[in-house]
């Protein structure tokens, strides 16, 4: 199984807007119909311990294998999912994409 973590550093004043945007926009446009797609999680940052600000939203997608992920990145659904991104001022840095293979699933 492959896990893709896309990390979005969001300026604190736009956390609520980005949260709504993520729920409304991510995962639409055919992602769930893609062959090999397993699931998606939208993770909202939580400050812990209190006083330590966390501004990193994470979108996790799970795929059966690397081939399924590659096919998705070459699909029309992928292109549509990446149209009309949020405004640049919402971001405190560049999004980062990390890809992992699962070595143990519990």
């Amino acid at each position: 199984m492959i896990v893709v973590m896309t990390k979005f550093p969001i300026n604190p004043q736009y956390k609520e807007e980005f949260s709504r945007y993520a729920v409304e926009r991510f995962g639409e446009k055919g992602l769930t119909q893609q062959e090999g797609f397993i699931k998606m999680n939208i993770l909202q940052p939580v400050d812990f311990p209190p006083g330590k600000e966390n501004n990193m939203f994470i979108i996790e997608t799970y795929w059966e294998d690397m081939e399924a992920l590659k096919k998705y990145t070459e699909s029309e659904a992928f292109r549509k999912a990446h149209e009309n991104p949020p405004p640049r001022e919402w971001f405190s840095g560049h999004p980062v994409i990390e890809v992992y293979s699962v070595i143990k699933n519990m």
Side-chain angles (χ1 to χ4, degrees):
M1 181 177 358
I2 298 296
V3 180
V4 179
M5 299 178 74
T6 307
K7 299 179 177 184
F8 298 93
I10 301 299
N11 283 317
Q13 67 268 33
Y14 296 109
K15 285 168 90 171
E16 286 184 33
E17 288 93 334
F18 188 83
S19 181
R20 283 193 299 274
Y21 178 93
V23 169
E24 292 170 5
R25 299 285 307 273
F26 295 140
E28 301 303 320
K29 316 224 180 5
L31 176 65
T32 58
Q33 285 75 44
Q34 295 300 299
E35 183 178 333
F37 174 78
I38 298 171
K39 71 174 184 172
M40 180 180 74
N41 294 321
I42 300 173
L43 307 178
Q44 178 173 289
V46 175
D47 296 343
F48 184 82
K52 181 162 173 47
E53 186 173 66
N54 179 1
N55 71 329
M56 192 68 68
F57 283 78
I58 301 173
I59 308 302
E60 295 178 328
T61 56
Y62 290 74
W63 300 88
E64 289 179 5
D65 52 35
M66 188 61 78
E67 186 62 29
L69 172 61
K70 283 187 69 176
K71 284 182 181 178
Y72 171 63
T73 64
E74 297 165 352
S75 72
E76 180 68 12
F78 180 84
R79 189 189 66 72
K80 285 185 177 184
H82 293 84
E83 290 178 339
N84 304 314
R88 284 186 173 197
E89 62 267 14
W90 287 12
F91 297 91
S92 63
H94 294 288
V96 174
I97 299 171
E98 298 175 348
V99 180
Y100 299 90
S101 64
V102 175
I103 58 174
K104 184 173 182 175
N105 192 2
M106 298 174 63

